[in-house]
Amino acid sequence: MQRILRVVQCALLTLALGIPSVSSTDSVSGSSMFAGDGECTCRCILRRPELEKCRLGNNTAALISKPLSFDPISTPKSKCQCQCEITGYNPCDAELKLERLRNRTPDVEKIEPIVSMLHQALTSADIRRLSSNTNRATTHIKTLEQLQDNMTSEQNGSVPYDASQSNISNRENKEEVNTVNPREEDVEVELSNTVPEDSCAGTLMAVKTPRAFGQFGRKEGAWLRDPLSRDGTLYLADYIFGSELLEFSDTEALAQGRPSSRVHMLPCSYSGTGHTVYNGSFYYLKAFTRTLIRYSLSHRATAAWGLLEDLSLAAQSLSKFGSGSGRSWQGYNDVTFASDETGLWVVYPSNHFGTIVDDELVLVQLDPEELTPRKDSLWKVGLSRPQYGLSFVICGVLYVMDKDSIARGAISFAFDTHSNSQTVPALPFSTGSTSSYLTQLSYSPLERQLYGWDNGVQVKYPLHFAV
């Protein structure tokens, strides 16, 4: 009788104090109750099921409904009953997900060689040549279609009607139609150099004091002009990393800071300032890679690409993050494109010549359409990092500035591809400012001047040649 009363008192005390029931909805839980001199402690332990049990059938509810093992702990005279219930949890989820991940590993191993084969196919010379030929054929087809339309208009005598010139004879209108040319933006100039090579007469003796033409953009950048273009359009790549190429109609528009609405959104970002514009295309190094890009300004799309497998890139040039991220000027470009009276060039450090030095600067003349080296057109110039800074090419001669030579005012190195020889010209170089921060030098064979970007100011350097 006393035992029954004690149990009733325990229950009443439990209700009065609000002590939670021993039943638990947690995956692992424990609780204790104290009543009189008795103590009841229950501990529920959720054991991890074996994978084989989880694989049995698709009905995991049966596994969940099974009583989970637990170890009751109570006093010898206690009448407490322990019960553990777990709801809304499937203990097999983790095991089954892990098994599915393990099963996918062979699929990843199968995909990896396929991706490697695709990469080799896309970067092959045949694909690049096909892409270049396709763009060339498209240009010629557009030209033929426009010429055909002009000839049809001439034969039919159909010309645009102008009320103010209605008294002009039909014959005169026909002659006018005959002189109409296809739009320059749709027809690229043939890849013959329009800059006469006899303009190479004379030897570079000095770089004169620069003249400023504008102040636009950040401290680092490049501004360019196509030496084969019939107009004075200027192209500007602001900063040493970006994906936009701006156009200015002329130097006056640049001085007023008025870019045209024709902004080129490049398909791949550029890095550095060693770009060039040549024969209707913008040439640049794709950021954080060894890939050269030729972007067609008229078609507004990538026209060709090439891979410099032997390009020796500094660690900061391959990284997108951190203090040495390739987004801070390092005094030189990993790749410098250059155009002169003889064609298109590229200057870069190569690691192809053994382990005596980490890299050696090379000069290569490129096919401007396919971005492939011309035959017998690679020269080792005998420099390695950090011996060089900015560089440019004039009449097949590579001129190099030391990284610190701007402060001293001299071009410290020259390599002549005609004689395969190097010299130390020590050419005077006037920056015109004590706070010079020069991040670009590009030669314009059309004007025989150097284009420079000095601390956000766009300048030109007149050159002095002696016969």
Side-chain angles (χ1 to χ4, degrees), residues 7-307:
V7 172
V8 172
Q9 289 175 354
C10 180
L12 291 174
L13 184 60
T14 301
L15 294 174
L17 298 175
I19 299 176
S21 173
V22 181
S23 298
S24 173
T25 58
D26 296 332
S27 58
V28 178
S29 64
S31 60
S32 301
M33 291 195 310
F34 302 90
D37 58 352
E39 178 182 349
C40 181
T41 301
C42 294
R43 184 178 63 191
C44 300
I45 301 176
L46 176 60
R47 301 188 185 280
R48 184 176 178 179
E50 297 180 0
L51 182 59
E52 294 298 330
K53 293 182 178 180
C54 293
R55 290 174 177 170
L56 296 177
N58 297 324
N59 185 12
T60 57
L63 179 62
I64 300 175
S65 62
K66 292 180 180 180
L68 300 174
S69 59
F70 59 90
D71 301 328
I73 302 176
S74 62
T75 58
K77 297 182 179 180
S78 175
K79 294 298 183 179
C80 295
Q81 293 182 353
C82 295
Q83 182 180 1
C84 294
E85 295 181 0
I86 296 177
T87 59
Y89 173 74
N90 185 356
C92 286
D93 276 346
E95 290 293 333
L96 294 176
K97 288 180 180 178
L98 184 60
E99 184 183 31
R100 285 194 293 267
L101 287 175
R102 290 196 188 103
N103 292 337
R104 289 179 183 177
T105 303
D107 296 335
V108 175
E109 294 175 351
K110 293 177 182 178
I111 293 174
E112 185 176 0
I114 298 176
V115 173
S116 178
M117 292 174 59
L118 287 174
H119 180 266
Q120 293 177 0
L122 290 174
T123 56
S124 67
D126 293 336
I127 294 296
R128 296 199 303 268
R129 193 174 296 110
L130 176 62
S131 175
S132 177
N133 291 336
T134 301
N135 289 323
R136 188 188 308 175
T138 302
T139 300
H140 290 322
I141 290 173
K142 285 186 177 181
T143 305
L144 292 174
E145 288 177 348
Q146 291 172 349
L147 292 176
Q148 185 177 5
D149 291 341
N150 291 338
M151 294 176 62
T152 303
S153 299
E154 180 184 0
Q155 294 173 359
N156 297 334
S158 59
V159 295
Y161 178 73
D162 187 346
S164 65
Q165 299 180 357
S166 58
N167 58 337
I168 300 178
S169 66
N170 192 35
R171 179 182 177 185
E172 291 174 345
N173 284 336
K174 288 182 182 179
E175 292 176 354
E176 183 179 353
V177 171
N178 272 332
T179 63
V180 174
N181 294 321
R183 292 184 303 167
E184 287 186 16
E185 65 178 19
D186 292 331
V187 181
E188 294 183 356
V189 183
E190 289 295 327
L191 289 176
S192 59
N193 199 335
T194 60
V195 179
E197 291 195 27
D198 57 7
S199 62
C200 286
T203 303
L204 178 63
M205 299 300 296
V207 180
K208 299 182 180 180
T209 303
R211 177 187 173 189
F213 285 83
Q215 186 170 2
F216 187 95
R218 302 176 65 167
K219 293 176 60 177
E220 305 91 349
W223 70 303
L224 310 154
R225 180 182 176 184
D226 190 342
L228 305 186
S229 174
R230 299 185 181 96
D231 58 26
T233 303
L234 301 171
Y235 301 90
L236 189 146
D238 188 17
Y239 197 43
I240 56 176
F241 176 85
S243 58
E244 292 184 0
L245 182 67
L246 303 180
E247 279 193 15
F248 292 83
S249 58
D250 49 31
T251 53
E252 181 179 355
L254 175 61
Q256 297 175 359
R258 293 186 294 101
S260 69
S261 59
R262 185 179 169 87
V263 179
H264 298 272
M265 302 301 298
L266 303 174
C268 301
S269 298
Y270 62 79
S271 64
T273 63
H275 333 297
T276 196
V277 174
Y278 185 78
N279 192 45
S281 293
F282 176 58
Y283 296 83
Y284 66 95
L285 172 68
K286 181 182 176 182
F288 315 116
T289 71
R290 294 178 171 85
T291 302
L292 308 180
I293 300 291
R294 177 168 82 88
Y295 172 84
S296 173
L297 296 169
S298 59
H299 296 96
R300 304 174 72 85
T302 300
W305 68 90
L307 182 63

Side-chain angles (χ1 to χ4, degrees), residues 241 271 286-290 316-320 325-327:
F241 176 85
S271 64
K286 181 182 176 182
F288 315 116
T289 71
R290 294 178 171 85
Q316 64 265 27
S317 300
L318 290 173
S319 173
K320 299 183 182 180
S325 63
R327 296 193 184 187

